[in-house]
Amino acid sequence: MLVRDAMSTMVLTIGPTHTLRQAARLMSARRVGSAIVLDPDTSGLGILTERDILNSIGLGQNPDHETANTHTTTDVVFAAPSWTLQAAAEAMAHGGFRHLIVLDGDGPVGVVSVRDIIRCWAPARHEAAMAN
């Protein structure tokens, strides 16, 4: 199975000046665990995750004043839609993160998460077990 089969194409993009509260509201409304941060000044992509927001709040920072750009991961590992789910899972395990931005050409086309991979693998493993 490939990343394109598992990824969510519901890509939430935000700007670097969104506050953490704004980002959290958008993520909650779309029921996603991450947002791609597009910075037009650097032409770069980053990712802001629910964990980043949680860490900031845990440090006592104000989510109405903290902005996405100060909490965005910019050294992002990207996946291609043609990657296997095994390769995506290995990249996540090696890097210690739970989301991969999926790039096709010049831009993001999706996000694949650990949850997406599990959702695909669980039925396949169950079916294989039942066949044996």
Side-chain angles (χ1 to χ4, degrees), residues 7 12 14 24 30 46-47 53 58-59 75-76 80 90 103 113 116 119 121:
M7 71 183 191
L12 172 61
I14 63 172
R30 299 232 176 114
I47 190 165
I53 296 169
L59 290 170
D75 59 339
V76 179
E90 288 171 2
L103 293 182
S113 69
D116 296 327
R119 187 174 28 247
W121 277 351

Side-chain angles (χ1 to χ4, degrees), residues 35-77:
I36 296 174
V37 181
L38 296 173
D39 190 342
D41 294 333
T42 65
S43 300
L45 290 176
I47 190 165
L48 179 74
T49 67
E50 56 202 357
R51 182 179 294 171
D52 297 323
I53 296 169
L54 181 66
N55 287 341
S56 174
I57 292 171
L59 290 170
Q61 297 173 335
N62 186 333
D64 292 314
H65 295 119
E66 293 296 312
T67 56
N69 64 335
T70 58
H71 297 279
T72 297
T73 301
T74 55
D75 59 339
V76 179
V77 175

Side-chain angles (χ1 to χ4, degrees), residues 3 6-7 11 13 24 26-28 30 32 42 49 62 64 72 74 77 88 91 98 109 111 114 121-122 124:
V3 165
M7 71 183 191
V11 178
T13 58
L26 291 168
M27 290 164 62
S28 178
R30 299 232 176 114
V32 296
T42 65
T49 67
N62 186 333
D64 292 314
T72 297
T74 55
V77 175
R98 298 178 296 158
V109 294
V111 174
V114 170
W121 277 351

